[in-house]
Each structure stands twice: as structure tokens, then as C-alpha cells.
Amino acid sequence: MQQGGDLHQAAALLASAGDAFALEVNRIVVSLSPVVDTVLEQLLRAWSFLAVPLLTGAVTLCMAMSVMVLAEKVFLGTVSAAANLFRSRRRRRPGKGRSARRGVDPAVLLDEEAGGGGGSAAFPMVLVQIPMYNEREVYQLSIGAACRLTWPADRLIVQVLDDSTDAAIKELVRAECEKWASCGVDVRYEARNDRAGHKAGNLTEGMRHDYARQCEFVAIFDADFQPAPEFLADTVPLLLRDPSLALVQTRWEFVNADECLLTRMQEMSMDYHFKVEQQAGSSLCSFFGYNGSAGVWRRQAIEESGGWDDRTTAEDMDLALRAALLGWEFVYVGAVKVKSELPSSLKAYRSQQHRWSCGPALLFKKMFWEILAAKEVSIWKKFYIVYDFFIARRIVSTFFTFFFFTVLLPAKLLFPQVEIPAWEMIYIPMVTTLLNSVGIPQRSLHLVVPWITFENAMALHRFKAILIGLFEAGRANEWIVTHKSGNVGRKVKSITPGDYLKQRFHGLELLMGALLLVSGCYDFLYGHGYFYLFALPQSIMYFMIGFELLGVSVCS
């Protein structure tokens, strides 16, 4: 009995101690409550005091950037239109241009350009390089297309640079090379022991062979490219005519553009790049970024420029920029098209876009002062390279597209006193979109709205890559080979919403999607504008990218 009484007494003491502790906590909270309220109130007042000037400054900055972007689009569009008009007038002249010589054997035309020696010795030696890495799906297509090029057999060398890590694939590629070699084609199979330098290192190793140094011109095709037989006949004469010409770049066309919505939207963006950006750069100052494939280089220009460099993931642009600073010129030939493949999965496309955005940013950082100090380049060309090619087209355009539409407009809803002019919010984006749509195929005009939302959403991913490149962060030199599917007729299925559990989530895209969704709903319920008409479709696209609901996956 005594023991039971002690237990009751201990329990009572604990209860009283607990009540005392709870009372003490409540007393402290009550005593601090006015202080906390005051601090929070002061913080909110400070934020409301600073937010409006900050947002006003951001609006001013975006106004300046939007004018820069619009001016760049108008300028490039005008130049490319004038170049196309001039070229079309030349074609109409009787007996002039390629149209007057159709039906003639390309070898005969090359013989004329080479001096009419009547034999293969009059033709320059051409090296065709095909770098590849575990390309099981496309190696036959690229090697076969290169071996079918119309050119004297004793003046053409096809070099297959195989960096594959899969032994079975290496044997397949080697066997394919041996098959074409037995048909009389000079095919050289080259494999390295490591992948140092990735594509740049692979191409550099290929140029070290004695037979490669005997070639005057070098044509480069990625593993998914299929040049037409007359490709060399259409490009090499341009290099023969002009000794100052270092590069002839041709246009890409895509065998799988109709595979899914993702590839259709990529085609729309790439068509603008080739029809406007590349054409304008070629016409203005004989400079543009080498696309890394479907181009023919003068070997002398490669060697004088220092060869391939793997310091960035934009080794193609790096070489082109160094060659341009030495005074070499480039020409873009849009009439010559080479079949290639677009990434059909969102994962592959994101990796490609990271490389294409991060590499140029890092290259710009490394070569900025070198560009300004170049003695062989005019001030006009330096201005074009620094301002138009790098700053306006890549950095400012990407930042404005992401920040203005995804961050600034939703933030403005909370502070209606911040005003954005109608020309900034409506007219400039509308005109810019129309200018971007110049290169869009007519069959894709109905996809303009999803394409706009897709490009706006991808601006977040690209801008993140640009920051990584400018600050040389951890992924600055990340190189992931874009996966290729090969046969377009292969059975594919769309990624359904249920498959997202197997995919990786993209947190930033999901966060931006949620922000736009909330902002759009708020504007619809309480706003006085029509921001929700943009915010809600844009939020859907962010969610589709965040959950990887775009693209296709190959059936097993």
C-alpha cells in the first residue's frame, strides 16, 4: 500500500511539474508575442517598401532587354530576307546557277572547277570523318552514306572514328567498314584506348594520321547524318574558288520531325536557326557558329587555328571562332540539305540543350578579351561576334524569356502599383514571336502556341546552363552523347502520364509550373487583366516538362 501511494504521489508531482513547464512556455510566448509581431510587421513594411522599387527596376531592365532582342530579330530577319531575295534573282538569270546545270554529272562539274584535267588527279583529296560512340542504331546509315559520295575513289578517304565502349558494337562497326572496303572504298577504322576530350579529342586523334594530313579538305558528319551522294560536288567547288574560305556549312533536315510533338517543335526552332541566323551571319560578315556536322573544312584553316580543343562542350564553335579571328571566312549554303535525326526523348533533348547553352557561355568567357584584341578582324565583325552572336542572341534573349514571363509577371500581380507598358507586355512579345515564326514550316503553323510555351519553359533550363558555363560550375564540361533511335519506322509509344513515376522529376520546372498556376488562378479570380490566358497554358507546359510527359520512348 505504501508503494502504491508513493507512485500516486510521484505522478502528481510530475503532473504539477508538467503544468508548471507548460505555463512557463506560455508565459514566454505571450511575452515574446508583441516583439515577434513587431519584427514581422517591420519586415513586411520593409519588404513592401523595397519590393516596388525592385520590381520597377526589373521592369526597366526587361524593357531594355526586350528592345535588344527585338532589334536583333528585326536585323537578322532583314538581312536574311535580302540575301534570299538577291539569290533568287540570280537564279532567274538564264544560264546561271545550279538550276541551269541540273542533270549534269557532279563529277564533271568538279573536274571543271579543278581545272579540267580530265582525270582524278585534278580532284583534291577529301577526308570524311565520322566520329561515333556506341551508335548501334545508326552506324550503318552514316557509313553507307559517306561511302556513296560521288568522288573519285582514289581521292576520297572515309575515316570512322569509333569511341565505342561496347565491344560488340565496335565489332559491328569494324565489320561494316570492312564490307565497304571490299567494295573499293578507302575506309579507315580508327579506335582509341580512351575517350579523352570526347568528340574534340576523337577528331584530333583522327587528324594525326599521315593519310589525313595528305587531304586538303575535311568533311565531318555525326553518326546520324546521311549526306546525299552529290554533297561534296555541291560544297568543295566553293572552297576551290575562294582560298580565303575555311568552312562551308550546309543545312540540316530531319528524318524524324513528325515522330512526336517534341520533334515537331524542335524542327520549328532549328528551321529559324538555319534560315535566319546562319544565313544572316554568312551574308553579313562571313561568320557564324559551325554546327559541328554537315560541313566541309579546309584542313589548313583547322591547323592554323590550333585544331580541336576540348576546353568547352562547344568544340565546333570554339574552332570556328578561333579561325574567324585569324581572318578566315565561312559560307552557309542552305540549298544543300543533309538528313539527320532530332532527339525524340525529353531526357536526350535536355542533355543536348545543356551542352549547347553551357558550352558557348564558357567559350565567351574564355575568349572575350581575345576577341577584342584580334588584329585580323574588323571592329564591325568584333561587334557582331560579341554583341549579336553571344550577348543578345544567347544570354540576353534566354534570360529575358525566362525572367520576364515566368518571374516578373507573376510577381507584379501582388503589386498592382508597378506598371508595365502595353508595348512591353503585348506588342514586343507578339512581334518577336512573329519574327521567330519566319522559319516555321507551314504544316506546323497550328503549333505556334505550344511551341511558344515550350521555348519559354526551356529558357529556364538553358539559362541555368548558361550560368553554369559562365561560373564554370560542376557540370560546365559535362558531355552526354545524344541518344539516337535510327529507324524512324521503329514502333514507338508516347510517354503516358502513368510513366512519369519511372522518370526523373525536374524540381525547378515543377516549382515554376506551380507558381504560374497559382498566379493564373489568382489573376482569373481577383485580377483586372488577362495574365491568366498566358499563365495557365505556360504552367501546363512546365508541368509536362517537369514530369517528362513530352517525347517518345522506344518499345522493347
Side-chain angles (χ1 to χ4, degrees):
M1 294 294 295
Q2 180 65 28
Q3 184 177 3
D6 292 341
L7 290 174
H8 284 294
Q9 186 177 3
L13 289 173
L14 287 173
S16 60
D19 292 340
F21 178 76
L23 290 174
E24 184 65 19
V25 170
N26 289 334
R27 186 185 65 80
I28 294 174
V29 170
V30 170
S31 64
L32 289 178
S33 180
V35 178
V36 172
D37 289 343
T38 302
V39 171
L40 291 177
E41 183 179 358
Q42 293 298 325
L43 288 176
L44 289 175
R45 285 182 178 178
W47 167 243
S48 61
F49 178 78
L50 293 174
V52 173
L54 288 176
L55 287 177
T56 303
V59 169
T60 304
L61 177 63
C62 285
M63 289 168 60
M65 290 191 295
S66 67
V67 172
M68 292 173 63
V69 172
L70 178 61
E72 192 258 350
K73 299 293 182 184
V74 171
F75 180 62
L76 293 185
T78 303
V79 171
S80 62
N84 291 330
L85 180 62
F86 177 73
R87 187 169 57 252
S88 64
R89 286 184 176 179
R90 289 187 61 185
R91 287 176 180 171
R92 294 193 192 104
R93 297 176 184 175
K96 300 290 184 180
R98 290 184 58 193
S99 59
R101 308 179 76 175
R102 287 177 181 170
V104 181
D105 187 347
V108 176
L109 299 181
L110 262 294
D111 184 54
E112 294 176 5
E113 296 294 343
S120 63
F123 287 72
M125 285 290 296
V126 176
L127 175 69
V128 177
Q129 289 186 311
I130 309 176
M132 57 177 56
Y133 172 75
N134 292 338
E135 308 288 0
R136 181 189 295 271
E137 293 81 5
V138 295
Y139 73 94
Q140 289 180 310
L141 298 175
S142 57
I143 296 175
C147 292
R148 294 188 188 95
L149 289 171
T150 302
W151 205 257
D154 61 336
R155 311 300 291 174
L156 176 68
I157 300 176
V158 177
Q159 186 185 62
V160 179
L161 303 170
D162 190 8
D163 263 1
S164 300
T165 55
D166 189 320
I169 296 178
K170 294 183 78 168
E171 288 303 317
L172 290 173
V173 176
R174 187 193 302 271
E176 185 70 13
C177 293
E178 292 175 353
K179 183 190 79 172
W180 282 101
S182 65
C183 297
V185 182
D186 190 355
V187 181
R188 310 294 179 97
Y189 175 82
E190 306 290 351
R192 299 190 296 167
N193 295 325
D194 58 58
R195 294 189 63 225
H198 302 288
K199 181 180 177 181
N202 203 6
L203 293 171
T204 299
E205 188 68 24
M207 292 298 296
R208 288 175 179 162
H209 298 278
D210 291 336
Y211 63 84
R213 295 172 183 165
Q214 299 172 4
C215 298
E216 186 175 355
F217 303 113
V218 182
I220 302 172
F221 301 100
D222 285 345
D224 58 312
F225 279 71
Q226 305 167 50
E230 63 274 10
F231 176 85
L232 294 178
D234 290 336
T235 54
V236 173
L238 300 174
L239 292 160
L240 289 173
R241 293 172 193 163
D242 188 355
S244 65
L245 202 60
L247 167 68
V248 176
Q249 174 68 59
T250 62
R251 183 177 170 182
W252 299 359
E253 65 176 355
F254 310 105
V255 298
N256 65 332
D258 294 327
E259 193 170 2
C260 61
L261 179 61
L262 177 62
T263 55
R264 286 287 289 273
M265 291 188 294
Q266 289 180 66
E267 181 194 35
M268 296 164 73
S269 300
M270 292 298 291
D271 275 3
Y272 174 82
H273 168 68
F274 282 106
K275 289 181 179 179
V276 178
E277 293 177 341
Q278 297 296 75
Q279 180 63 65
S282 177
S283 303
L284 276 171
C285 53
S286 301
F287 171 79
F288 48 82
Y290 170 49
N291 292 113
S293 184
V296 184
W297 277 91
R298 190 184 301 271
R299 181 179 58 83
Q300 179 186 354
I302 296 177
E303 293 178 350
E304 288 186 0
S305 304
W308 299 97
D309 198 318
D310 63 346
R311 58 181 172 173
T312 72
T313 57
E315 78 292 327
D316 44 12
M317 186 182 295
D318 190 344
L319 176 61
L321 185 56
R322 284 183 279 117
L325 295 182
L326 292 178
W328 288 100
E329 296 182 348
F330 310 152
V331 65
Y332 167 71
V333 185
V336 181
K337 301 178 182 180
V338 181
K339 295 179 180 179
S340 62
E341 181 181 325
L342 291 164
S344 57
S345 71
L346 187 60
K347 181 179 180 181
Y349 180 67
R350 284 172 59 89
S351 297
Q352 181 198 71
Q353 293 301 300
H354 174 85
R355 191 171 72 246
W356 288 4
S357 300
C358 180
L362 180 55
L363 178 64
F364 178 60
K365 175 183 177 181
K366 290 180 176 294
M367 294 199 65
F368 175 74
W369 296 110
E370 188 174 344
I371 296 171
L372 297 183
K375 298 180 180 179
E376 302 295 330
V377 181
S378 65
I379 296 177
W380 155 246
K381 197 167 185 176
K382 291 179 184 179
F383 176 78
Y384 175 80
I385 294 174
V386 172
Y387 174 78
D388 187 282
F389 186 75
F390 280 111
I391 296 178
R393 190 183 309 175
R394 286 171 170 81
I395 298 176
V396 171
S397 177
T398 303
F399 175 74
F400 169 75
T401 302
F402 158 66
F403 182 77
F404 181 75
F405 294 105
T406 307
V407 178
L408 186 59
L409 289 183
K412 179 192 175 301
L413 295 177
L414 301 176
F415 300 91
Q417 61 269 42
V418 177
E419 296 184 0
I420 300 179
W423 60 266
E424 163 70 10
M425 191 159 49
I426 300 175
Y427 301 129
I428 284 188
M430 185 181 299
V431 175
T432 303
T433 300
L434 291 175
L435 292 173
N436 279 333
S437 304
V438 169
I440 292 179
Q442 291 185 354
R443 63 187 182 86
S444 299
L445 289 177
H446 64 288
L447 298 176
V448 168
V449 172
W451 173 64
I452 293 172
T453 59
F454 176 74
E455 286 296 310
N456 288 345
M458 285 303 300
L460 167 62
H461 181 69
R462 295 182 182 119
F463 183 65
K464 182 174 66 173
I466 288 174
L467 292 180
I468 291 174
L470 290 176
F471 292 100
E472 294 190 63
R475 297 178 59 200
N477 289 300
E478 179 183 70
W479 182 281
I480 299 177
V481 177
T482 305
H483 175 76
K484 307 167 188 70
S485 60
N487 299 323
V488 181
R490 175 179 297 181
K491 185 179 180 182
V492 296
K493 65 177 181 179
S494 298
I495 295 180
T496 60
D499 291 331
Y500 76 86
L501 294 175
K502 303 176 184 178
Q503 304 291 339
R504 184 181 63 179
F505 293 92
H506 303 293
L508 282 177
E509 282 79 0
L510 295 176
L511 177 63
M512 293 301 169
L515 172 65
L516 286 170
L517 178 61
V518 173
S519 301
C521 293
Y522 176 84
D523 182 67
F524 178 77
L525 295 174
Y526 305 106
H528 302 286
Y530 299 95
F531 172 68
Y532 65 91
L533 294 176
F534 163 81
L536 296 180
Q538 187 65 66
S539 68
I540 294 174
M541 183 58 69
Y542 265 115
F543 283 128
M544 292 181 69
I545 294 177
F547 289 118
E548 290 209 5
L549 302 182
L550 285 176
V552 298
S553 61
V554 180
C555 294
S556 59

